[in-house]
Amino acid sequence: MKALILVGGFGTRLRPLTLSKPKPLVEFGNKVALLYQIEALVEFGVTEIVLAIAYPPNVMEDFILDVQKKHNIKIVCSQESEPLGTAGPIVYAKDVLRTNDPFFVINSDISSTFPLKELMAFHKQHKREASLVVTKVEEPSKYGVVVFEPDGKVVRFINKPKQYAGNYINAGIYILEPSVVERIPAGPSSMEKEIFPVMAQEGQLYCMPHAGYWLDIRTPKNHLLGMGKYVKHLRETNPAALSTHPAVVGDVIMDSSATIGKECVIGPDVVIGPDCVIEDGVHLERATLMQGCVIRKHSFVSDSIIGWRSTVGQWVRVENVTVLGEDVKLVDEIYVNGGLVLPHKVITSSVSEPKIIM
Amino acid sequence: RGQHHHPTPKAMKAVILIGGLDILRPLTLSLPQPLIEFCNKTLLMHQLEALKAAGVNDVVLCVHEKNLPKSWNDVITKYEMDLGLRMQCSIEKSSLGTAGPLKLAESLITNDGSSQEPFFVLNGDVLCSFPLRDMLHVHVQHKGCGTVMTTWNDEPSKYGVVVGNDKSGRIEHFVNRPETFVSNLINAGLYIFDPSIFSRLPSAGEKASMNEVLSQLATEENLYHFESKGYWVKMTDVRTFLSAVGPQLEMTRLLHGADLAPHSGAPVPPTTMIVGNVLIDQTAVIGDDCKLGPDVVIGPKCVLGNGVRLESTTVMSGVQVDAHAVIHDSVIGWNSHVGSWAWVTSSVLAEDVAVKLGTLLNGVTVLPHKELSVSVREPRIII
């Protein structure tokens, strides 16, 4: 069986991190984001994965070779030259996908559990053209809302409803029969706006609610929120993956190569990447530290992402969805409030109001 | 009222005009202004010690009735005993301006008319180097009825401005709040007057402006000035109060450097860094790996945890600052508690304020007995 992962474009909403790496290769919970989808597909037994990307595949090359070798699976890229929306890439990749069987389509911008076996069993049972995973969220108006009957038959599919229509949304995980591809016109098009609503009317769309956690992680704020849900999920399903270091409070992922000083408080909801150095008296909460970060003494970091090989000086306070790009330095004793800092910058004075430092 | 000391020859009198202004709120919600500690010594003590060093042994405090706490007499008695000065109070019941209170205190100052000696007048809201002996020396040389201390200022249009004769020191022009530029030399609010000044003031109980009186005296060619080269700050709020700490500690460093940390005060662990001028009371407890200064004052019985960063900040007595907290440009009121990793900048905390772990306060003024557990990023008063 095959799968298509919709990777999309430059990931500008995850800048400045995506100025250094393509969006799917940015780490989430100390693992390359795309690996969550790939590993779920490998576990299911998929033999070939197509990545639908909107940029040259050479930046993904090393990663792809690595994954192919490690998991004994074939990965190819379908490169779009213009943005094709959420449906366009599927028909565009038709020749690369080349299948007569139903195939998975997964959105790369989500952090979730992937109930693929259950979805396939559900799909075989109703025998219609498409099966969607749906998930319950608190703010459905930003997504595609799905109204369905108890057996999973979708009666209505409303994209970004202005009036309340229900809390279940399209989770971005589907199984499509090859016939769905025939429905999609060439060029840019949207599953949520054009394809799914029609299929719902025809009774060809079924959905399966999903009980696990789900979050779209396209923005730093959502990346951090998603991390909170992910570590909670680990606590329930694989607590050995969480850190038991004495400085830890709540759920924390800490790479074994990281070093932690004295009198630190780490957590809750913190990820510390490989080779990070946390000096004495540091307090981290709801923060992600990418590989090679240094947080110097007595500093306080909350609700922020510290990019690869960045250094936060002594007695610094970082908060409120600050994102430091790769190799950023914050000098001692400053305050950064919601700063988006581009790679290789040195910040020498406080940023008291959210802004972009270019 | 008060003890009666036999004055020594050439002993002088002084008047301190405290009046009714309450500019150091919210600190003055706990203590009257003269008893607020500035660099670990009450404002009143700074003034009294400077006066005593200039030969004063008899002080009259002019205070507005509303600023008098119940225990005022006990306070005064203690100062009398500790300093060996006589202290009396002249109490205003209404607002008398900048010169009216002086007239009201005439009989106390002149011993009911019997004393002809010159006397000092200090405005209670002025912090400065108090060069009173030098000023007295200048006063006794000339034959004028008064000497005004002056100081160089960048924004003279807010004050009484002086044009003085360079040789004689006589004031040639005195202009109150000039609209066009006259000079950078302003009335610093410290004076020496002969008792003849009382005949120049309106009747007791009437409002009067010192700058207007001085203006008139200057035209009569009867007024001299003494330019102080030391620091000068007129307190208008806690922020200006705090801004005087730097110059005051620098003066301490020049005159009594051994009084500053680490030479004096509580022991400072070797891992803790002292930067610039820092004053630490000897009963404070300082943690490891802190960085303190410049311009930091730590009061009695304060406890600092490890890794605390204080800069341009005064911490009043009994304050506890927990590990890794950062405080810049702030005053932390008596017995407050700042939690670990708190971040406090440009703020004034009154008595007994608790700041929870990790909380950020920027530009916040907090009234007494409050607990803050949510960060406040925009300047605000927390009542």
Side-chain angles (χ1 to χ4, degrees):
Chain A
M1 196 173 157
K2 299 190 183 182
L4 179 67
I5 301 182
L6 299 174
V7 173
F10 296 102
T12 57
R13 292 167 74 186
L14 208 49
R15 286 179 170 167
L17 298 173
T18 45
L19 294 174
S20 301
K21 289 193 186 188
K23 185 183 42 154
L25 298 191
V26 173
E27 293 89 345
F28 178 82
N30 276 354
K31 179 154 76 172
V32 165
L34 195 56
L35 278 178
Y36 291 90
Q37 281 85 347
I38 291 177
E39 286 176 359
L41 290 165
V42 165
E43 201 196 316
F44 177 88
V46 162
T47 53
E48 185 172 322
I49 299 176
V50 177
L51 302 177
I53 57 178
Y55 49 83
N58 57 334
V59 294
M60 310 277 295
E61 225 175 83
D62 289 339
F63 169 75
I64 291 172
L65 288 173
D66 208 47
V67 169
Q68 288 189 139
K69 208 160 73 171
K70 190 168 167 200
H71 294 287
N72 198 20
I73 185 173
K74 185 173 172 199
I75 300 186
V76 289
C77 292
S78 162
Q79 181 192 351
E80 299 130 29
S81 51
E82 50 159 345
L84 292 175
T86 49
I90 300 174
V91 68
Y92 189 84
K94 194 167 82 167
D95 296 330
V96 181
L97 204 44
R98 267 186 351 238
T99 179
N100 294 324
D101 295 324
F103 58 96
F104 287 109
V105 177
I106 306 186
N107 189 321
S108 72
D109 287 331
I110 59 178
S111 173
S112 176
T113 52
F114 298 99
L116 303 179
K117 287 194 168 59
E118 295 91 321
L119 188 64
M120 182 51 95
F122 173 73
H123 184 76
K124 285 190 173 143
Q125 172 246 312
H126 66 68
K127 297 189 179 62
R128 300 296 201 273
E129 279 186 68
S131 301
L132 301 183
V133 174
V134 291
T135 185
K136 206 168 173 188
V137 295
E138 275 161 26
E139 285 182 50
S141 59
K142 298 188 286 188
Y143 304 101
V145 171
V146 182
V147 182
F148 56 98
E149 288 170 1
D151 65 345
K153 179 173 173 196
V154 176
V155 262
R156 280 178 72 201
F157 191 105
I158 317 150
N159 195 34
K160 297 194 170 67
K162 292 201 170 69
Q163 288 180 314
Y164 177 78
N167 283 91
Y168 279 95
I169 62 158
N170 169 21
I173 305 165
Y174 358 116
I175 292 178
L176 303 181
E177 292 291 335
S179 55
V180 178
V181 184
E182 308 305 320
R183 295 173 174 268
I184 307 173
S189 63
S190 158
M191 293 304 279
E192 292 91 343
K193 287 186 210 157
E194 298 161 53
I195 313 299
F196 283 153
V198 172
M199 289 178 70
Q201 280 188 338
E202 294 176 14
Q204 288 296 327
L205 191 60
Y206 273 67
C207 72
M208 184 184 85
H210 142 68
Y213 79 95
W214 183 93
L215 200 55
D216 100 62
I217 53 170
R218 276 174 296 185
T219 64
K221 185 168 175 200
N222 279 4
H223 180 116
L224 290 166
L225 283 173
M227 186 52 57
K229 293 195 178 186
Y230 176 59
V231 290
K232 184 158 173 249
H233 165 77
L234 282 183
R235 170 69 60 194
E236 290 157 10
T237 57
N238 182 16
L242 296 176
S243 173
T244 52
H245 189 286
V248 162
V249 168
D251 302 326
V252 167
I253 298 173
M254 189 188 301
D255 190 271
S256 57
S257 60
T259 59
I260 313 288
K262 302 184 311 245
E263 286 188 21
C264 291
V265 172
I266 313 288
D269 302 343
V270 166
V271 177
I272 299 182
D275 308 321
C276 285
V277 175
I278 315 295
E279 292 188 353
D280 296 344
V282 167
H283 185 115
L284 306 176
E285 48 184 50
R286 295 177 303 278
T288 289
L289 273 52
M290 300 297 193
Q291 173 161 18
C293 286
V294 176
I295 313 293
R296 309 213 41 228
K297 287 188 194 180
H298 318 300
S299 286
F300 178 97
V301 179
S302 81
D303 302 288
S304 294
I305 303 176
I306 311 296
W308 313 268
R309 300 180 296 112
S310 286
T311 299
V312 173
Q314 294 189 3
W315 284 294
V316 169
R317 184 177 176 110
V318 177
E319 61 177 12
N320 196 23
V321 197
T322 287
V323 184
L324 304 187
E326 178 187 9
D327 183 38
V328 164
K329 182 171 169 183
L330 304 185
V331 303
D332 295 347
E333 301 182 35
I334 59 171
Y335 167 54
V336 182
N337 172 25
L340 250 56
V341 184
L342 266 60
H344 314 296
K345 286 288 301 175
V346 177
I347 306 298
T348 54
S349 59
S350 290
V351 178
S352 50
E353 300 256 301
K355 73 181 203 215
I356 298 165
I357 318 284
M358 201 163 60
Chain B
R1 110 121 297 274
Q3 290 191 7
H4 200 86
H5 297 273
H6 294 290
T8 54
K10 298 206 173 141
M12 275 190 74
K13 268 198 153 90
V15 180
I16 303 180
L17 301 174
I18 293 168
L21 285 179
D22 201 2
I23 50 182
L24 292 184
R25 286 194 168 165
L27 301 176
T28 45
L29 296 174
S30 301
L31 280 180
Q33 184 176 311
L35 302 185
I36 306 284
E37 294 96 342
F38 172 68
C39 299
N40 281 349
K41 186 187 295 182
T42 68
L43 290 169
L44 183 58
M45 185 62 87
H46 282 275
Q47 292 149 353
L48 294 176
E49 285 184 351
L51 289 168
K52 187 173 173 186
V56 169
N57 72 339
D58 196 330
V59 178
V60 175
L61 301 178
C62 297
V63 193
H64 193 290
E65 182 178 53
K66 65 180 168 135
N67 275 353
L68 276 184
K70 288 198 187 73
S71 57
W72 191 241
N73 278 345
D74 296 334
V75 169
I76 297 305
T77 306
K78 184 162 194 311
Y79 276 87
E80 282 186 315
M81 281 173 39
D82 288 349
L83 289 169
L85 296 170
R86 173 158 87 139
M87 289 175 62
Q88 300 174 89
C89 289
S90 163
I91 298 167
E92 300 133 45
K93 293 191 195 300
S94 61
S95 170
L96 296 176
T98 45
L102 189 58
K103 181 70 176 176
L104 191 71
E106 182 178 359
S107 61
L108 290 178
I109 296 162
T110 60
N111 266 345
D112 296 316
S114 66
S115 166
Q116 294 303 310
E117 296 298 312
F119 56 94
F120 283 103
V121 177
L122 305 190
N123 266 291
D125 59 357
V126 169
L127 292 170
C128 65
S129 55
F130 293 114
L132 302 179
R133 279 217 296 259
D134 292 343
M135 188 179 173
L136 182 60
H137 183 78
V138 162
H139 181 80
V140 299
Q141 305 282 359
H142 64 69
K143 304 288 188 285
C145 74
T147 301
V148 176
M149 188 168 111
T150 52
T151 182
W152 204 95
N153 192 282
D154 279 328
E155 290 181 44
S157 61
K158 299 191 290 189
Y159 305 101
V161 173
V162 165
V163 176
N165 181 299
D166 284 340
K167 271 182 69 180
S168 67
R170 187 165 61 79
I171 294 181
E172 293 178 348
H173 302 288
F174 188 106
V175 186
N176 193 18
R177 306 175 79 94
E179 279 165 13
T180 54
F181 179 79
V182 171
S183 120
N184 284 102
L185 219 50
I186 62 162
N187 172 9
L190 277 67
Y191 320 101
I192 298 175
F193 288 130
D194 285 344
S196 60
I197 187 84
F198 291 110
S199 61
R200 312 310 310 265
L201 299 171
S203 331
E206 271 184 41
K207 208 166 168 172
S209 152
M210 187 65 82
N211 278 341
E212 281 173 22
V213 171
L214 296 176
S215 217
Q216 182 59 36
L217 283 175
T219 61
E220 294 165 18
E221 307 188 348
N222 211 358
L223 201 58
Y224 288 74
H225 82 105
F226 163 77
E227 186 183 347
S228 162
K229 302 294 191 183
Y231 90 90
W232 182 89
V233 169
K234 178 176 167 171
M235 287 190 290
T236 52
D237 54 18
V238 176
R239 192 126 304 282
T240 43
F241 164 89
L242 192 60
S243 73
V245 170
Q248 176 74 21
L249 291 185
E250 180 58 11
M251 190 172 78
T252 304
R253 184 183 74 78
L254 293 169
L255 300 177
H256 321 277
D259 287 354
L260 297 179
H263 319 290
S264 258
V268 171
T271 50
T272 282
M273 208 188 332
I274 303 289
V275 177
N277 298 330
V278 173
L279 186 65
I280 304 179
D281 186 271
Q282 60 186 10
T283 57
V285 176
I286 310 294
D288 287 309
D289 218 22
C290 296
K291 185 174 173 189
L292 308 175
D295 300 337
V296 163
V297 175
I298 298 173
K301 304 213 182 83
C302 289
V303 177
L304 265 54
N306 295 340
V308 165
R309 176 78 184 99
L310 302 183
E311 197 228 331
S312 298
T313 285
T314 288
V315 175
M316 299 297 204
S317 68
V319 168
Q320 181 179 328
V321 182
D322 290 342
H324 320 295
V326 174
I327 311 179
H328 289 267
D329 299 299
S330 298
V331 176
I332 310 297
W334 313 267
N335 303 318
S336 288
H337 183 171
V338 178
S340 284
W341 290 286
W343 185 279
V344 178
T345 48
S346 304
S347 292
V348 179
L349 274 49
E351 175 187 12
D352 184 37
V353 170
V355 180
K356 198 175 152 196
L357 181 149
T359 306
L360 178 146
L361 301 176
N362 177 36
V364 178
T365 298
V366 186
L367 266 59
H369 314 297
K370 297 290 297 181
E371 271 184 36
L372 297 174
S373 51
V374 176
S375 291
V376 182
R377 291 181 184 86
E378 292 293 305
R380 260 180 73 192
I381 299 175
I382 310 274
I383 201 167

